[in-house]
Amino acid sequence: MLPLNTLPFVDLIMTDGTEYFEYLKGRSRLGLFYRRFWLYPRIARHLRGRALDVGCGIGDMLRYRKDTIGVDINPATINWCRSQGLDARLMQIDTLPFESATFDSVILDNVLEHLTEPGPLLREIARVLVPGGNLVIGVPGKMGYTADPDHKRFYDEAALIQFGGELGYRLVTTFHTPFRSRWLDSNASPYCLYGVFTND
């Protein structure tokens, strides 16, 4: 069997999801500490009201921020979230199981780079987002992008802003985590770029 980090992402999530679930559960304590005390507070300041975490994984953001619902296409991660008392729903590819205009904010954290054709999902997100709602998109830096063989498209800041504009979103701001750094961009897998957009 191939090492987990060499398995195609789609193979991990399109079976019963168990292997991908175990991959997510293998996070380090340092990584969890970083997300809980540095990353999620930075993301959360751009969220308001009822939020949707698309690609919620094992529910770390759902645990961190109240009034946040998660969706994922992986049954194993959804079952895990529910066993932890978190509100998570199974979704079909490019189809969100919610009525239109039901969320004030949407998070798409380290998902966009996995999509060959992201337009359908982004249009579906626009459908469930209220007018004037916020969309927070996080993508990996150079090192993080090359670390996963399933990544389909690299987004630098200009490309992410252009992509949001093409879909009718207006840029509010961008930020880098843990902070803007060319060195970290090329040498640290957790380094990410975030764009905050609105559909007003």
Side-chain angles (χ1 to χ4, degrees):
M1 182 176 173
L2 290 170
L4 190 56
N5 62 1
T6 67
L7 290 172
F9 179 81
V10 70
D11 290 345
L12 294 175
I13 61 176
M14 294 309 290
T15 57
D16 65 355
T18 303
E19 288 183 273
Y20 186 61
F21 166 69
E22 293 300 332
Y23 168 72
L24 292 177
K25 287 280 289 174
R27 68 197 172 181
S28 69
R29 289 185 179 181
L30 179 60
L32 179 59
F33 181 88
Y34 165 71
R35 286 192 295 276
R36 184 174 294 168
F37 295 103
W38 184 260
L39 176 61
Y40 291 159
R42 294 199 71 192
I43 293 174
R45 73 178 61 157
H46 300 286
L47 304 176
R48 60 174 187 262
R50 190 177 188 227
L52 176 65
D53 184 4
V54 178
C56 64
I58 56 176
D60 287 340
M61 175 58 86
L62 311 185
R63 189 173 287 104
Y64 174 80
R65 185 184 185 274
K66 294 181 179 179
D67 207 15
T68 302
I69 296 173
V71 291
D72 208 297
I73 61 174
N74 186 317
T77 61
I78 293 300
N79 289 338
W80 164 258
C81 288
R82 289 177 176 170
S83 76
Q84 301 299 301
L86 303 172
D87 191 349
R89 324 278 176 90
L90 187 65
M91 66 174 283
Q92 301 303 311
I93 293 175
D94 297 333
T95 303
L96 297 172
F98 304 104
E99 298 294 326
S100 298
T102 52
F103 291 94
D104 304 293
S105 308
V106 175
I107 313 154
L108 196 65
D109 190 7
N110 281 261
V111 173
L112 187 63
E113 67 278 5
H114 288 280
L115 306 178
T116 303
E117 180 51 59
L121 178 60
L122 270 291
R123 285 189 287 275
E124 183 71 349
I125 287 172
R127 180 184 67 78
V128 302
L129 194 59
V130 300
N134 278 358
L135 168 61
V136 180
I137 301 177
V139 292
K142 293 175 184 176
M143 176 74 173
Y145 178 79
T146 61
D148 189 331
D150 181 65
H151 288 168
K152 306 293 193 303
R153 178 178 171 186
F154 176 72
Y155 295 85
D156 60 12
E157 191 162 344
L160 185 60
I161 293 170
Q162 179 180 349
F163 177 75
E166 289 171 354
L167 290 168
Y169 292 92
R170 177 178 63 81
L171 178 70
V172 176
T173 189
T174 61
F175 62 94
H176 299 75
T177 60
F179 48 82
R180 184 187 292 268
S181 166
R182 289 184 180 178
W183 188 88
L184 288 175
D185 189 18
S186 299
N187 294 279
S189 293
Y191 184 82
C192 288
L193 160 69
Y194 287 84
V196 182
F197 301 88
T198 184
N199 64 351
D200 59 8

